[in-house]
Amino acid sequence: MADPELVDVVVVGLGVGGEEVAGRLAEAGLSVVGVERDLVGGECPYWGCVPSKMMIRAANAIAEARRVDGLAGSVEVRPDWAPVARRIREEATDTWDDTVAVQRFTGKGGRFVRGAARLDGPGRVRVGERVFQARHGIVLGTGTRPSVPPVDGLADTPYWTNRQAIEVEELPESLLVLGGGAIGLELAQVFARFGVRVTVVEALDRVLAVEEPEASEVAAAALRADGVEIHTGVRAERVSHDGQGFTLRGAGGAEFTADRLLVVTGRRAHLDELGLDTVGVDAGRRYLTVDDRLHVTEGIWAVGDVTGEGAFTHVAMYQAGIVVADVLDHARRADAGADPSGTASATGGAAGSGAGGSARAVPRADYRALPRVTFTDPEVGAVGLTEHQARERGVNVQVGLARLPSSARGWIHKAGNEGFVKLVADADEGVLIGATSVGPAGGEVLSALVVAVHAAVPLARLRQMIYAYPTFHRAIEDALRDMS
Ligand SMILES: Cc1cc2nc3c(=O)[nH]c(=O)nc-3n(C[C@H](O)[C@H](O)[C@H](O)COP(=O)(O)OP(=O)(O)OC[C@H]3O[C@@H](n4cnc5c(N)ncnc54)[C@H](O)[C@@H]3O)c2cc1C
């Protein structure tokens, strides 16, 4: 075995979170090895956010064109998947080639290693025959992979995950979507708008089950209007493929058939692959347990989906900022011979200033105002707690709701104006603790609500604000009025 190579930091997994951490630490002057077994950039640019939003942009253009009828004359729409597939191939993913992303990282001074990494004892990372000894720390940004339910027969069929759905060049005539969460609904609506006969099968009693029930209703109605069949409360029991198409049998005997089956029933971290036992960390959990500075254990940090704090690119980026600040703080302390345990940084103690700023500057993760957007049409934006979550926590809840079609802007907008703003307040504190914004610009309207929850803006102050007329976000004022 080769002698370990001594470096400052090893980052395992260069997805959104890992690439950000590795690049910024390298730019700060540390010697950083970044290890990636697949494509630098991870799921988001190649099989996630970016290509799926390109698909959605195209599908929404079709839907908007169809709304010309009754508003502005008539348009004949002939959907064609070829430009969408080409855009994903050429503009988004470089035909799933990460050369540019690797150069982006090495251009910042990082050292890139392609391969699957495992921890190999404290401070050590093994990639094949190579072993790296990290002086200042190891960052795990290994993400998640699709979680496929143990449905009888499913594993033996050529089902799709998000990867095949994003890479598709020719659309099937029909598609079964197993899973009515955000990704399932986004893709179901896209394919339906391009003429695919889509059926969504969801085990829970409503789609988008983590969001407000009113959001589930609006989203389901919108997809049905696009021709999507939605079956909720159906647990898949058996899947078969006869060489031509799929048959899915649900509990209770319901049967669904289609040319293709897309499985989008959640995602899972694969902790068992990381050698966590060699550093005394339990690999039997669903996600890596981290503290509010993303520490896993002495000398190891985690970032992104693998932490289970929210499977979103913006969470990975947010956490990356904290990890970078904390690793630099530790490195500075270690180089200065000060308390490398980090205890002092928690109390704003001994460190001087350096690349990472003062110890007091290391922020702590706070997910109270975590925003999430499902990019269906209408978009479903949400922040903080739902009404149900707030009640379960024993909060003295106050709720307000305003429907967009009865707002001035919604009425003007007409076709495609479905949506609402729902506010969840802590009546004792007089602040919002959650909000949902569904509508043509639901994700954008959400930003005001995120500020309100994040900064705990008093309800009285929100009521005194001036909301521009006639915007969709004026529904926030209407919902506040509904609350009082
Ligand atoms: C279809 C779809 C649409 C999405 N849309 C959105 C959206 O609109 N907005 C949003 O915020 N989020 C969206 N997401 C979620 C987003 O993609 C993830 O939250 C984000 O990619 C997480 O980044 P990450 O760095 O934690 O993990 P990943 O992007 O999964 O990257 C982890 C990397 O680690 C590598 N790796 C794993 N193990 C090892 C190992 N042992 N050695 C070396 N390398 C390893 C993997 O190959 C991978 O490249 C979407 C996801 C999907 C699937």
Side-chain angles (χ1 to χ4, degrees), residues 11-19 35-53 56 113-118 126-127 140-146 162-163 166 183 186-187 264 267 270 273-274 303-307 310-317 319 371 373-375:
V11 180
V12 178
L14 298 182
V16 177
E19 187 191 350
V35 190
E36 171 56 52
R37 69 169 172 210
D38 203 345
L39 295 179
V40 173
E43 205 70 11
C44 180
Y46 297 103
W47 297 284
C49 336
V50 178
S52 69
K53 265 78 254 178
I56 287 166
V113 175
R114 181 93 62 194
R118 281 179 74 83
R126 172 187 287 276
V127 190
L140 301 173
T142 47
T144 54
R145 294 208 292 272
N162 63 297
R163 292 201 168 192
I166 296 285
I183 294 173
E186 287 181 2
L187 294 174
V264 273
R267 301 185 61 89
H270 289 256
E273 300 171 356
L274 298 178
V303 65
D305 284 8
V306 73
T307 65
F312 300 104
T313 285
H314 45 270
V315 170
M317 298 292 279
Q319 293 176 330
V373 179
T374 301
F375 291 88

Side-chain angles (χ1 to χ4, degrees), residues 157-218:
T157 67
Y159 64 85
W160 283 357
T161 65
N162 63 297
R163 292 201 168 192
Q164 290 76 32
I166 296 285
E167 290 178 15
V168 67
E169 292 276 340
E170 274 189 36
L171 297 185
E173 277 187 16
S174 55
L175 176 72
L176 271 172
V177 179
L178 185 58
I183 294 173
L185 292 198
E186 287 181 2
L187 294 174
Q189 191 175 43
V190 164
F191 290 129
R193 287 180 164 182
F194 275 87
V196 178
R197 195 161 38 79
V198 181
T199 306
V200 174
V201 177
E202 164 61 52
L204 299 176
D205 63 359
R206 59 186 173 98
V207 294
L208 279 191
V210 295
E211 301 300 354
E212 296 283 9
E214 296 90 342
S216 304
E217 275 169 31
V218 174

Side-chain angles (χ1 to χ4, degrees), residues 118-126 131-134 138 274-280 298-300:
R118 281 179 74 83
L119 297 167
D120 194 29
R124 275 199 312 279
V125 173
R126 172 187 287 276
V131 178
F132 299 94
Q133 180 76 41
I138 295 167
L274 298 178
L276 290 165
D277 52 314
T278 69
V279 292
E298 184 64 35
I300 299 183

Side-chain angles (χ1 to χ4, degrees), residues 33 59 62 79 154 162 164 195 291 294 356 385 391:
V33 165
I62 290 174
L154 177 61
N162 63 297
Q164 290 76 32
D291 68 11
L294 287 314
L385 302 179
R391 291 196 191 285

Side-chain angles (χ1 to χ4, degrees), residues 24-25 27-30 321-333 335 345 351-363:
R24 283 175 59 185
L25 289 178
E27 278 179 323
L30 299 191
I322 297 171
V323 172
V324 167
D326 205 34
V327 169
L328 289 175
D329 185 51
H330 274 65
R332 195 178 53 244
R333 285 164 186 286
D335 287 345
S345 77
S353 62
S358 76
R360 282 187 194 88
V362 177

